[in-house]
Amino acid sequence: MDYATILQILDSAVRLMTPLLLACLAGLYSERAGVFDIGLEGKMLMAAFSAAATAAVTGSVWLGLVAGILAAVGMSLIHGLAAITFRGNQLISGVAINFLASGLTVLLGQSWFALGGRTPSLEGAARFGSITLPGAETLRSIPVLGPFYAEVVSGHTALVYVAALLVPGTWWLLYRTRFGLRLRAVGENPASVDTAGVSVPRLRWAAVAICGMLTGLAGAYLATGLSAGFVKEMTAGRGYIALAALIFANWRPWRALGATFLFGLMEAVANRYPELDMGFVTIPSMVMSALPYLLTVIILAGFIGRATPPRAGGEPYVKER
Amino acid sequence: MALPGTQATAPPAIELRGISKAFGPVQANRDISLVVPAGTIHGIVGENGAGKSTLMSILYGFYRPDAGQILVGRRDAGITDSQSAIRAGIGMVFQHFKLVPNFTVVENVILGAEDGALLAPSVSRARKELRRLAAEYQLDVNPDAVVETLSVGHQQRVEILKALYRQADILILDEPTGVLTPAEADHLFRILKGLRDRGKTVILITHKLREIMEITDNTSVMRRGEMVATVPTRETSPEQLAELMVGRKVLLRVDKAQAAPGTPILELSGLRMVDRAGVERLRGIDLTVRAGEILGIAGVSGNGQTQLLDILGGYPEAGAQVTGTARLAGRTLPLSGTDARARRHAGIGNIPEDRQAEGLVMDFSAWENTVLGRHRDAGTALMDNDAIRSRAAAQMERFDVRPRDPELAAKNFSGGNQQKIVVAREIESRPILLLVGQPTRGVDIGAIEFIHRRLIELRDAGAAILLVSVELDEIMALSDRIAVMFDGCIMGERLPDATSAAELGLLMAGASPSGIPPEQGQPDPDEREPAKGVI
Ligand SMILES: Nc1ncnc2c1ncn2[C@@H]1O[C@H](COP(=O)(O)OP(=O)(O)OP(=O)(O)O)[C@@H](O)[C@H]1O
Ligand SMILES: [Mg+2]
């Protein structure tokens, strides 16, 4: 395997990582605040559809992005209403969101575009174009680092860089600001926040809204950055993979970057080598493309490391029985 | 409403007027009025479920009252949530702490009281302030320690520091000593006195009348959601307070006849237990409990008592190695098994140490709980629910469980009444051996008296009772013989009439008392002299 191939795989890993990272950070905000969110998948799907549909109709990827965010935030509000205001079961609400998105996207897609649930292919300004970072071409001649910069670091769409910046941003917000302190506290022991004179619902609503925005970015990126349009069930379990990555990352931002990169890398390798020839044995493509999902199962089953979820996660805050 | 004679010279720090609060069908507080003079320590006593915690939580803005007014320093404080209570200068240490376990002390202290959007300035100010408070009030804690690694006593200090950091002038403490060792409790009282000396007002909820007599200036008594009296503490007595609490005379001592021990029921020899981590928890226990006697096991908690009870109950910790022999009424009792059902069948009753985790299913109704562990006795797979219900109702009547509603879920009873449900179930199963762990932890004196009387009755009916308690007063009051446990060993056996708290304290601390006459033995610092006649 030569250096150029490695760079290609890494480049593709970064692209494939991005929706996972955005969704993973989305889940991080929500779950750190104590609201478990199994509905990442549905929100992403809904956002992907809205973004693609809007971009197809208006021809503007930015309007598509706004529509994607709005759609995901809208779904988040449903989850917030069920989980925070009505103190319902967060798992059930999340599953309902996934079903809702899965059905609604196809139904609306078919009735608006009559393409069997897809949206029309996007091109030009209706898609995110890649950004060449300054100096990418001039530095290319520097051995090893130059091509790495030009191939892997440069040349992605805006949302990839947004996602990358969100990692230190989230870390800073979580550990360096008042909002972060309160957010982490409300996921561990909401009564401590309440008795400190801070509103528990308000904090959780803020977290759920942020979660909506980030899944919006993730979905929009899928449909208008990574692909050129919406296809039925195009999230393909990425919401669940992001959840697995979140657990693997132990609900921390930098580790989320690492975990989602690992998943992205696996997908990239599987795409590049549908059948991996290991010399003595050839790994069939089925196994290769199942890799990220297998890893998800292994992580969710708790085989890797010890995850310590936010203590109050999944439980509505009820003061009076 | 201050009774005549209350120390009312100081202006009131707090005045409650006509506070009422209902949780669904439960009227937790009914038209309560209370005046707390500034610069005093004010005690609040009352039975389990009397509404003490509810009232204080209302004062702290945690619950909203259905009716009533809260005045702080003669002005309506407009307390609608904890934030407004904090602004009015009120701080509260809850019965169950409200700390974030994986945060450091500083983070817990500044939470909700940050100086700005960025943490760094708040943290450095908090550090300075914590150092000052530590010096002023003997409230030392490492500001960078993670709270969950601290002892309960230190966690409590963090709660007090939280209140002081918010410049509270009025500090409420809800049963602060229930979780403390005697030495920690003494330290806490020194802190509280220090606060009073600096003009702060302290409200202290406790079940221990000894503490009321020791530290408070005035005492209020609550009963079934109402405030029945407020009296200057030095004009009252534990007996009077107990009577006010319960509404009848309470015997603060247990009256019991001489025991008439019969044949050995439980004989343990060489009982050893090594837990999964390889730590030896029991190191060769030899014990005999006879029919018609109570063997009390004294000891600081964590010295193997829990393991002993679990093994005898038939549910030793997973992965534990148990060796030694046990005989129940002459027949060999296999020790290694995890078969609680067989133990019950053999006639062992069990009042476990943690009633909420082991004694009850909190979401089940009272009547369902009364049949747990006995649910196979009928021999059919179908339950005769009507029969169970009516038996439960009768049982609740006999054991004075309040409210007397078999349909109510266990979690909706107060701690003392939950315990009565467990005690009723176990005693009425007519065991030949009853295991009893911490029967009155967090339980009010009326219920303590009741539970103690029932245990004595069971003894007099010929049952053998193995009583484990960390309350030395309880051990002294109930036991016919006392064994002291330390570090997995029995340090010695004493007769209650022929020993002293000081001697038992020495044994509990692992000191061998041989050669030291009990009178000269220095009491362990962790051991307080029980006041005579006071529970
Ligand atoms: N959050 C709640 N929701 C419903 N009912 C409650 C709640 N808190 C307390 N209660 C009920 O209100 C009554 C008063 O409870 P409270 O906790 O104030 O009693 P307490 O005097 O503090 O008792 P204890 O000595 O056991 O702490 C009890 O019957 C209790 O079951
Ligand atoms: Mg209470």
Side-chain angles (χ1 to χ4, degrees):
Chain A
M1 200 169 8
D2 59 0
Y3 189 51
T5 318
I6 293 178
L7 288 183
Q8 272 170 23
I9 293 178
L10 287 180
D11 178 52
S12 146
V14 169
R15 289 171 204 278
L16 292 166
M17 169 189 80
T18 299
L20 295 176
L21 179 59
L22 286 166
C24 188
L25 291 176
L28 191 147
Y29 280 99
S30 180
E31 302 208 343
R32 270 297 177 112
V35 181
F36 277 175
D37 196 354
I38 205 164
L40 293 177
E41 174 87 0
K43 280 186 259 188
M44 251 205 290
L45 192 65
M46 202 67 204
F49 173 76
S50 306
T54 309
V57 172
T58 64
S60 159
V61 68
W62 294 104
L63 284 180
L65 179 66
V66 171
I69 291 177
L70 286 180
V73 169
M75 302 290 266
S76 273
L77 293 189
I78 299 178
H79 190 51
L81 216 55
I84 305 168
T85 307
F86 295 116
R87 299 172 191 153
N89 185 307
Q90 301 174 4
L91 277 184
I92 293 179
S93 158
V95 169
I97 282 173
N98 288 342
F99 277 125
L100 187 66
S102 159
L104 211 54
T105 47
V106 176
L107 181 79
L108 293 179
Q110 175 63 16
S111 80
W112 289 346
F113 304 105
L115 293 170
R118 331 166 135 255
T119 60
S121 281
L122 304 174
E123 47 198 32
R127 272 195 79 189
F128 276 105
S130 52
I131 299 173
T132 308
L133 293 185
E137 288 314 312
T138 43
L139 294 175
R140 191 181 273 279
S141 52
I142 300 173
V144 185
L145 286 182
F148 182 82
Y149 182 69
E151 294 285 328
V152 181
V153 180
S154 171
H156 294 292
T157 60
L159 289 184
V160 175
Y161 299 111
V162 169
L165 289 177
L166 275 170
V167 174
T170 299
W171 175 86
W172 182 81
L173 194 66
L174 228 46
Y175 296 102
R176 289 290 178 266
T177 69
R178 173 175 64 192
F179 176 72
L181 184 79
R182 293 177 174 186
L183 189 85
R184 285 182 290 134
V186 82
E188 292 292 330
N189 183 3
S192 71
V193 172
D194 191 7
T195 55
V198 181
S199 160
V200 172
R202 207 178 299 164
L203 270 173
R204 290 193 163 170
W205 272 112
V208 164
I210 295 175
C211 170
M213 284 192 265
L214 296 188
T215 44
L217 290 181
Y221 176 78
L222 265 186
T224 60
L226 201 58
S227 326
F230 177 85
V231 195
K232 179 178 164 192
E233 300 293 349
M234 79 179 301
T235 43
R238 283 191 173 84
Y240 299 106
I241 294 182
L243 275 183
L246 182 59
I247 295 171
F248 195 30
N250 221 348
W251 291 267
R252 284 162 207 271
W254 283 106
R255 293 202 207 170
L257 179 68
T260 50
F261 180 74
L262 185 69
F263 278 108
L265 187 65
M266 263 192 286
E267 219 182 320
V269 170
N271 287 349
R272 168 87 199 193
Y273 302 105
E275 303 196 333
L276 190 57
D277 188 356
M278 306 270 282
F280 52 99
V281 62
T282 306
I283 300 178
S285 64
M286 270 186 314
V287 174
M288 288 304 290
S289 43
L291 268 187
Y293 302 95
L294 285 177
L295 184 65
T296 303
V297 169
I298 291 170
I299 291 173
L300 289 182
F303 287 123
I304 296 179
R306 212 223 226 99
T308 43
R311 234 162 290 211
E315 284 166 25
Y317 180 56
V318 184
K319 273 210 275 199
E320 305 184 20
R321 290 189 295 268
Chain B
M1 167 195 63
L3 289 191
T6 307
Q7 292 196 336
T9 41
I14 284 181
E15 189 174 348
L16 300 179
R17 287 189 188 155
I19 301 281
S20 290
K21 173 76 186 173
F23 293 110
V26 180
Q27 190 70 39
N29 286 164
R30 186 178 292 120
D31 191 21
I32 289 189
S33 297
L34 172 70
V35 177
V36 179
T40 62
I41 299 183
H42 195 104
I44 296 187
V45 294
E47 292 180 282
N48 293 122
K52 307 177 295 290
S53 297
T54 304
L55 184 66
M56 290 302 118
S57 302
I58 288 173
L59 178 53
Y60 188 63
F62 190 69
Y63 297 134
R64 294 267 207 117
D66 301 334
Q69 210 185 1
I70 301 171
L71 281 73
V72 178
R74 291 215 174 87
R75 274 206 326 248
D76 188 330
I79 291 174
T80 51
D81 54 15
S82 295
Q83 196 177 17
S84 40
I86 293 168
R87 241 185 279 123
I90 301 173
M92 177 154 173
V93 178
F94 283 81
Q95 200 167 358
H96 304 284
F97 300 156
K98 308 288 184 200
L99 297 169
V100 183
N102 58 353
F103 276 18
T104 62
V105 171
V106 182
E107 287 175 321
N108 267 291
V109 166
I110 62 174
L111 179 66
E114 307 89 344
D115 298 330
L118 296 185
L119 285 185
S122 317
V123 169
S124 58
R125 184 172 80 87
R127 265 178 217 288
K128 237 178 278 158
E129 184 67 10
L130 284 180
R131 233 172 291 138
R132 192 184 68 75
L133 290 170
E136 188 170 353
Y137 296 105
Q138 299 183 297
L139 280 162
D140 298 281
V141 280
N142 172 7
D144 296 310
V146 176
V147 160
E148 63 195 339
T149 64
L150 296 176
S151 70
V152 193
H154 278 79
Q155 294 189 9
Q156 190 173 65
R157 284 188 205 171
V158 179
E159 285 283 24
I160 297 175
L161 285 168
K162 259 167 73 176
L164 295 180
Y165 185 74
R166 289 160 172 74
Q167 286 162 355
D169 282 320
I170 300 149
L171 184 65
I172 307 164
L173 296 111
D174 193 351
E175 286 189 43
T177 57
V179 292
L180 300 184
T181 66
E184 287 174 324
D186 284 343
H187 186 92
L188 173 67
F189 284 174
R190 280 198 298 278
I191 293 168
L192 296 187
K193 285 178 185 153
L195 287 167
R196 176 178 55 189
D197 294 345
R198 285 165 181 76
K200 305 213 184 244
T201 308
V202 176
I203 302 181
L204 174 74
I205 300 180
T206 178
H207 283 301
K208 299 179 184 163
L209 296 180
R210 180 170 66 213
E211 296 174 356
I212 291 288
M213 302 312 293
E214 186 180 328
I215 192 172
T216 64
D217 301 303
N218 298 300
T219 305
S220 295
V221 183
M222 289 185 71
R223 190 195 317 149
R224 300 196 199 180
E226 294 181 51
M227 189 62 79
V228 292
T230 297
V231 291
T233 305
R234 57 183 152 68
E235 289 170 23
T236 186
S237 65
E239 287 76 14
Q240 191 199 355
L241 288 176
E243 194 178 330
L244 283 168
M245 271 165 71
V246 184
R248 62 177 164 80
K249 281 230 175 303
V250 181
L251 282 176
L252 292 175
R253 293 175 51 93
V254 192
D255 272 340
K256 63 178 207 272
Q258 193 64 34
T263 55
I265 297 294
L266 177 71
E267 296 161 274
L268 289 179
S269 72
L271 177 62
R272 284 172 193 281
M273 191 270 237
V274 179
D275 72 9
R276 190 163 43 177
V279 179
E280 192 170 30
R281 297 297 188 157
L282 297 175
R283 315 162 176 263
I285 303 277
D286 301 312
L287 277 182
T288 303
V289 194
R290 294 167 178 277
E293 75 165 353
I294 298 179
L295 174 68
I297 297 196
V300 178
S301 67
N303 278 293
Q305 300 99 314
T306 304
Q307 285 77 4
L308 178 65
L309 287 177
D310 289 354
I311 290 170
L312 292 175
Y315 45 96
E317 197 180 302
Q321 296 275 339
V322 183
T323 54
T325 60
R327 294 164 77 78
L328 183 71
R331 267 194 269 156
T332 306
L333 191 69
L335 274 179
S336 50
T338 53
D339 197 346
R341 178 158 41 125
R343 299 292 160 88
R344 287 184 173 276
H345 204 73
I348 301 181
N350 192 346
I351 300 174
E353 288 182 306
D354 186 343
R355 56 182 161 261
Q356 301 198 339
E358 292 166 351
L360 295 165
V361 178
M362 298 300 279
D363 286 322
F364 280 18
S365 62
W367 71 267
E368 286 169 312
N369 271 295
T370 61
V371 78
L372 288 180
R374 301 273 141 208
H375 50 284
R376 293 171 195 267
D377 290 5
T380 64
L382 294 179
M383 314 263 286
D384 185 351
N385 286 348
D386 289 337
I388 300 171
R389 265 199 200 91
S390 60
R391 205 187 57 175
Q395 208 172 62
M396 290 170 81
E397 184 75 38
R398 283 193 292 277
F399 280 77
D400 191 28
V401 178
R402 276 178 268 165
R404 212 151 281 161
D405 178 4
E407 301 295 336
L408 202 62
K411 65 179 175 199
N412 291 328
F413 287 90
S414 70
N417 285 300
Q418 288 171 356
Q419 186 69 337
K420 282 188 198 167
I421 294 174
V422 177
V423 169
R425 177 182 74 209
E426 299 303 323
I427 287 186
E428 298 218 334
S429 72
R430 308 248 139 259
I432 56 169
L433 169 68
L434 183 63
L435 309 172
V436 186
Q438 319 295 354
T440 57
R441 184 179 273 171
V443 169
D444 65 69
I445 51 172
I448 291 178
E449 182 204 24
F450 189 88
I451 290 170
H452 283 178
R453 271 219 312 268
R454 290 306 168 109
L455 290 176
I456 299 283
E457 274 170 32
L458 184 72
R459 176 201 78 166
D460 292 343
I465 298 180
L466 181 69
L467 166 75
V468 169
S469 175
V470 291
E471 294 286 341
L472 206 48
D473 300 359
E474 180 165 74
I475 292 282
M476 297 278 263
L478 286 180
S479 312
D480 301 308
R481 275 185 302 130
I482 300 172
V484 182
M485 234 173 138
F486 174 77
D487 198 22
C489 297
I490 299 287
M491 298 300 290
E493 269 187 33
R494 297 287 183 275
L495 295 176
D497 300 332
T499 186
S500 65
E503 187 192 19
L504 292 176
L506 264 182
L507 289 167
M508 284 163 65
S512 161
S514 52
I516 310 170
E519 306 79 54
Q520 288 171 18
Q522 280 298 309
D524 179 77
D526 267 14
E527 186 44 54
R528 273 185 305 162
E529 193 84 16
K532 291 281 172 308
V534 180
I535 293 175

